[in-house]
Amino acid sequence: MKMRAGYCIFILLVSLTLFGIVDVCNAGKLSYKFYKRTCPRAEQIVKEIIQNRTQSNPSLGARLIRMQFHDCFVRGCDASVLLDTVNNSTAEKEAIPNSSLSGFDVIDDIKTAIERVCPKVVSCADILALAARDAVSAPFSKSLWDVQLGRRDGMVSLATETNGNLPSPFANFTSLIQLFNRKGLNVNDLVVLSGAHTIGVAHCATFSSRLYNFTGKGDADPSLDPTYAEALRKQCPNPASPTITVEMDPTSSLTFDNHYYDILLQKKGLFGSDAALLTNRNSSKIVTRLQRSRSSFFPAFAKSVKKMGAIEVLTGNAGEVRQNCRVVNP
């Protein structure tokens, strides 16, 4: 044991000196203390910047947790969603489902600050995972979940790969569970992670088809509360305006809690994919359980977001640690 520890320290020092890489003794796996020796201030730097930014932008939590979700479901959690388009290779962030993502500037600021202290050590994928957690947690003055670290950054980002990998707001239950299963997630994860819809807003085009001529008779989706549908029509004229947004969780879009399940059972889930959770016996039971107990939602979310954060991660020598989150290393 002592020999291995001494070997690790020796190789670590040589690696940092010559290459600026991460701890080789943790290589190949995620760990809660991955940067303990190589960049002990990393998590604190992320937290300080996020705390500062959320004071002026309380919606940042919704923006960054959505960004992490969209990153992990395409090529795994490798920060490919952060890469800019290069030449004729259109990047993920340019795909239609990602066109409304925001918060890239915050990730850039964090990366710049960390690079000053620990150059070439902390990956953009890990920064995104930490930033999403800290932004959602900011109003609570404590971390709502722990983040395992050690992800490496991908070197490919293709807009075409979002097709079939990101859940559609129009999806039915069968499509949703098939996609989540492909990512190593189950029905409980589907319902729990959908709870993130308790914060943030959505553009009218993502749900307006439920409001107008849903069955070809000029009516709204019958699974949507009629009074709520009428209120939504007043906010979202037909055709849908690309500039108008609506709270996903009415009156609670800045508060991370289990209120999403309240509105779901009131038939006020904004997306067709929200309403779909009530069309399956198992998922409907989970919705009811989470609605009844706010205290059970937080640990459930912590468990499911941990699973999501480990989807197809690159570790060890795979990928790279980008110096700039928007471009691969030269």
Side-chain angles (χ1 to χ4, degrees), residues 110-121:
I110 295 171
K111 181 61 173 175
T112 298
I114 289 181
E115 284 294 302
R116 292 194 192 104
V117 179
C118 312
K120 305 177 184 178
V121 172

Side-chain angles (χ1 to χ4, degrees), residues 37-93:
R37 288 191 289 254
T38 57
C39 192
R41 289 195 57 217
E43 292 192 53
Q44 187 59 34
I45 291 172
V46 175
K47 186 169 294 186
E48 289 174 357
I49 292 176
I50 289 296
Q51 287 177 338
N52 179 267
R53 287 300 199 98
T54 52
Q55 289 178 7
S56 59
N57 184 4
S59 66
L60 189 59
R63 298 171 189 271
L64 293 184
I65 194 67
R66 180 170 180 249
M67 185 187 293
Q68 185 192 13
F69 186 99
H70 282 226
D71 180 50
C72 290
F73 268 62
V74 181
R75 285 190 166 266
C77 308
D78 67 345
S80 54
V81 75
L82 303 178
L83 288 170
D84 288 341
T85 292
V86 177
N87 300 323
N88 294 323
S89 180
T90 306
E92 285 174 36
K93 63 169 62 171

Side-chain angles (χ1 to χ4, degrees), residues 16 59 64 134 218 230 268 285:
L16 285 172
S59 66
L64 293 184
D134 291 343
E230 180 60 31
K268 295 179 182 179
K285 285 183 178 180

Side-chain angles (χ1 to χ4, degrees), residues 43-44 75 89 119 121 133 180 183 195 213 224 240 260 306:
E43 292 192 53
Q44 187 59 34
R75 285 190 166 266
S89 180
V121 172
R133 186 271 308 273
F180 272 65
K183 305 300 178 181
N213 204 31
L224 191 62
Y260 165 79
K306 176 184 174 182

Side-chain angles (χ1 to χ4, degrees), residues 202-208 212 235-246:
H203 287 82
C204 293
T206 59
F207 60 87
S208 62
Y212 300 97
Q235 297 179 73
C236 292
N238 192 28
S241 167
T243 62
I244 299 176
T245 59
V246 172

